[in-house]
Amino acid sequence: MRSLLLSVCLCGAAAVSAGEAVIQDRSRHSDVFGEERNYRVFLPPTYATDVDHRFPVIYFFHGYGGRYNGPEYGEPSASAESRYYDEWNGDIERSGPDPRDNIATYVSENDVIVVKWDGYVAAQYPRPYDVGPVKDDLHFVDEFPDLVAHIDAEYRTIPTREGRATSGLSMGGFMSMFVASKYPHVIGSASFFNPSSAFIIGPRALQVYTPFRHMGRNYVGLPIRQHVGMKDFLRQHDLGIDREFKAQELSYETWHYGVNYFDGFHTVVNVEGQFDFHMRHFRQPAPPPSEWSHIDVYPDFDIWGYRFASDRDEPGFTAVDEASAHGLKVTTRKWLPDGPNIPAARIDITTDGRYEPAGTYSLRRLALSDLRATEDEATADGEGRLRFAVSGAGEYVGAHAPGESGRLVVAGHRLDRDVPQAWDVIQLTPVLFNAGGTAVESARVELIAQTEDVEVLDAAVDVAALGAGQVSLDTSFRIRCRSAELEVARMKVMVTHDGATRRYLLDVPFYSTAAELTEYRVADGVACIQDDDSEVTFGAGDANGIADPGEWVSILTQSDREDDVWYG
């Protein structure tokens, strides 16, 4: 098998026996990086014979210490990825209970192409993808669309969103989350094997700590799946993702594995189950969402046909909520989930082409800082796009043509205290804004807790008439958190009027002092042994266990399983 694979990789194409995947190692010139970049392609046996058939593509991202083609023959993988290296490393003891559980086997039995890009960065290897901290202005997330275009040009793919997916292990799982969050309009599903949950990412001058558990809104309309190991060193982080994603009305599923699968450690496991998830959504793709939300660390970005360009010159996030033909809300945050805004920033917005070309539309605006409502006009261009700007302090902008009816939206919310804590009865007041063209005569508003540890103490409320452009703070609900462990409560406001019901998601942070971290270590350049006996350094400094000025530090805490394992 090894000699066959070598001949395929060196020649770029070779005849294989029936039933085997064809493996090609290739390279392409990257305009983003300005150099040749490597990738590996797995082709199903039917690719050569069924010349009229097009195939979906799964883009797979390796983890720490990995490469597109695996380690050298006979050398064990430093990142516990041996199974999906497809018999190249020869370490049968790390193959787990089923040595066939790998990418090559899956592709040999399914009509799908798998592409593995190379996360190699010379200055950081074995740390891939130039994340945490960022050392260059060349970003792998920017490379992804070009790689997709190249693969679509070179192979018989299904060159649409419905025919693409991403997956990855560990740091590659983080990259799968990152790419999927940036490009839900480019791919149709995403999965993660034991992913890293957060890294410092973004432009080098604006890099910021980015916890994806608080960015579930990016995956609305995008099916996602996570694998979590019972003894994985990232388990606590991945359980945080699992908890948050389950509370955000996503198309999300998770699979937990233990002693029967590689003892529950950190690895690629159950490739069949993970990739079957993608195949299911290739056959039955999820339609694009009618309304979408998005959080982005970059000042400039494109999403669902919209273009956002900002003069933001400090680290942070741009958040877009409930974007549709009727309008959208745009805010900035210095950190997630509840950081202050960046009021000095300006965001220029170009919508998709959903409006009448050359049509005139009223833009009804609400400044979220002082709830001041204003109105102006915008004319769509020849492609039906509107252009306007908003402040980083936060605005809701409603768009409507002459004669359109009223539209009551939840533009935000107010709390009666700055530091909500467990067991306090807290008053939450939705900011109701009529962003439409005429008055709303009556409406019904209901608050629902998405998190089981939060209870809503008041029933739905009927709201009196609200004129066009008016704001109301007259509707309030009492809520109570019953857990000192809860970090963020996910809430849903249901607004019904004129025969239609719309939902708006709100986040309420809690700051409990009931739990105090007593068993911890400060890692400022401290080397720790991982579950695969490899050594990894956490933080950067003099390794004396004290957080000194100028150092990067990680905080390590004991596992809740009391197994003497330390977690970041």
Side-chain angles (χ1 to χ4, degrees):
M1 174 63 75
R2 178 177 175 250
S3 61
L4 173 63
L5 289 175
L6 277 174
S7 66
V8 171
C9 294
L10 291 175
C11 301
V16 297
S17 61
E20 289 187 341
V22 177
I23 302 176
Q24 299 177 352
D25 284 353
R26 298 185 60 182
S27 65
R28 57 176 288 270
H29 180 79
S30 167
D31 292 334
V32 173
F33 288 90
E35 64 183 18
E36 291 293 303
R37 299 295 302 185
N38 299 311
Y39 63 92
R40 168 170 285 186
V41 177
F42 297 79
L43 298 173
T46 55
Y47 187 87
T49 57
D50 193 353
V51 296
D52 294 324
H53 186 69
R54 288 189 171 271
F55 298 80
V57 182
I58 299 172
Y59 291 87
F60 188 89
F61 311 141
H62 64 75
Y64 179 91
R67 292 294 300 272
Y68 71 104
N69 58 352
E72 293 294 326
Y73 182 74
E75 294 183 1
S77 167
S79 56
E81 298 179 1
S82 58
R83 290 157 128 203
Y84 85 76
Y85 281 133
D86 311 297
E87 303 179 28
W88 276 78
N89 64 15
D91 188 351
I92 195 64
E93 292 184 1
R94 295 196 65 84
S95 293
D98 182 5
R100 286 173 45 82
D101 185 16
N102 55 45
I103 290 176
T105 299
Y106 191 86
V107 174
S108 72
E109 299 171 351
N110 293 272
D111 281 346
V112 64
I113 297 171
V114 174
V115 175
K116 290 171 56 182
W117 73 358
D118 191 5
Y120 178 77
V121 181
Q124 294 213 50
Y125 195 75
R127 190 181 188 85
Y129 306 121
D130 193 27
V131 297
V134 177
K135 297 182 179 180
D136 210 326
D137 284 322
L138 306 175
H139 305 292
F140 281 82
V141 74
D142 296 332
E143 166 80 354
F144 182 73
D146 289 351
L147 175 63
V148 167
H150 171 79
I151 296 299
D152 285 343
E154 292 291 315
Y155 295 92
R156 295 195 313 278
T157 67
I158 299 174
T160 63
R161 171 180 183 262
E162 293 74 18
R164 304 188 190 108
T166 62
S167 187
L169 166 68
S170 193
M171 292 181 74
F174 174 85
M175 285 304 297
S176 182
M177 278 193 291
F178 188 12
V179 167
S181 77
K182 284 281 289 182
Y183 307 116
H185 53 290
V186 175
I187 65 170
S189 60
S191 66
F192 333 115
F193 293 87
N194 303 293
S196 304
S197 63
F199 273 113
I200 297 172
I201 57 175
R204 180 172 54 175
L206 303 179
Q207 56 187 293
V208 65
Y209 177 77
T210 305
F212 272 95
R213 70 183 184 278
H214 296 311
M215 295 172 64
R217 67 184 70 182
N218 291 40
Y219 306 107
V220 171
L222 181 73
I224 52 177
R225 174 183 165 109
Q226 179 180 216
H227 284 190
V228 181
M230 295 296 292
K231 295 183 181 180
D232 178 33
F233 71 94
L234 294 176
R235 175 175 171 77
Q236 289 178 325
H237 300 283
D238 293 344
L239 290 179
I241 293 174
D242 187 58
R243 180 177 61 251
E244 297 292 338
F245 283 7
K246 284 179 177 176
Q248 297 185 48
E249 294 195 339
L250 305 176
S251 176
Y252 167 72
E253 60 187 69
T254 185
W255 181 75
H256 298 260
Y257 65 94
V259 295
N260 292 328
Y261 288 89
F262 208 54
D263 288 335
F265 283 123
H266 187 73
T267 189
V268 172
V269 66
N270 189 11
V271 170
E272 181 178 20
Q274 195 86 301
F275 285 9
D276 277 353
F277 160 80
H278 293 299
M279 297 298 287
R280 184 168 72 249
H281 289 290
F282 289 145
R283 293 189 297 270
Q284 297 177 314
S290 58
E291 291 188 358
W292 52 268
S293 298
H294 183 74
I295 300 175
D296 210 293
V297 66
Y298 290 86
D300 301 341
F301 56 93
D302 298 282
I303 184 78
W304 292 117
Y306 282 60
R307 173 67 177 166
F308 295 81
S310 174
D311 61 357
R312 174 164 62 85
D313 60 359
E314 58 180 291
F317 303 86
T318 300
V320 184
D321 289 287
E322 288 95 34
S324 72
H326 299 284
L328 75 175
K329 182 173 76 172
V330 182
T331 56
T332 58
R333 288 284 179 266
K334 290 188 177 182
W335 59 78
L336 297 178
D338 59 337
N341 59 41
I342 307 172
R346 169 190 165 107
I347 302 112
D348 292 297
I349 302 170
T350 303
T351 74
D352 64 0
R354 66 176 60 202
Y355 299 96
E356 185 70 25
T360 299
Y361 293 82
S362 294
L363 300 183
R364 207 175 289 285
R365 300 169 177 265
L366 180 67
L368 301 182
S369 57
D370 58 9
L371 301 187
R372 185 171 63 93
T374 58
E375 185 177 8
D376 54 36
E377 289 186 346
T379 300
D381 64 15
E383 296 179 337
R385 300 175 181 271
L386 295 179
R387 290 178 171 83
F388 54 91
V390 299
S391 164
E395 290 186 40
Y396 191 101
V397 180
H400 65 89
E404 287 191 7
S405 61
R407 185 178 179 89
L408 195 60
V409 304
V410 178
H413 66 281
R414 299 286 190 267
L415 302 176
D416 65 347
R417 64 201 65 195
D418 293 329
V419 186
Q421 297 191 50
W423 301 106
D424 291 346
V425 176
I426 299 160
Q427 185 168 288
L428 184 154
T429 302
V431 177
L432 301 177
F433 175 48
N434 184 354
T438 61
V440 173
E441 297 303 327
S442 64
R444 188 165 182 83
V445 180
E446 182 180 9
L447 182 68
I448 300 172
Q450 301 282 91
T451 308
E452 63 180 1
D453 290 323
V454 175
E455 57 181 333
V456 178
L457 304 178
D458 296 302
V461 177
D462 291 322
V463 178
L466 201 63
Q470 290 187 344
V471 181
S472 173
L473 295 174
D474 297 333
T475 304
S476 296
F477 299 88
R478 294 170 301 147
I479 65 172
R480 177 167 53 203
C481 173
R482 299 174 297 194
S483 171
E485 306 296 323
L486 186 65
E487 180 182 4
V488 178
R490 309 294 181 185
M491 312 297 295
K492 177 170 63 175
V493 183
M494 306 297 292
V495 178
T496 301
H497 69 85
D498 296 325
T501 299
R502 292 181 296 276
R503 67 104 174 93
Y504 300 87
L505 300 181
L506 308 176
D507 293 344
V508 179
F510 284 89
Y511 307 91
S512 176
T513 58
E516 182 176 346
L517 189 62
T518 57
E519 296 294 329
Y520 67 91
R521 297 167 60 189
V522 175
D524 54 345
V526 175
C528 297
I529 303 299
Q530 304 303 291
D531 57 50
D532 61 352
D533 296 326
S534 65
E535 187 175 89
V536 176
T537 299
F538 291 86
D542 59 13
N544 67 353
I546 300 173
D548 295 315
E551 294 185 331
W552 289 88
V553 301
S554 293
I555 305 299
L556 308 182
T557 183
Q558 281 276 285
S559 164
D560 57 4
R561 296 174 59 254
E562 298 181 355
D563 57 2
D564 200 35
V565 174
W566 292 85
Y567 292 81

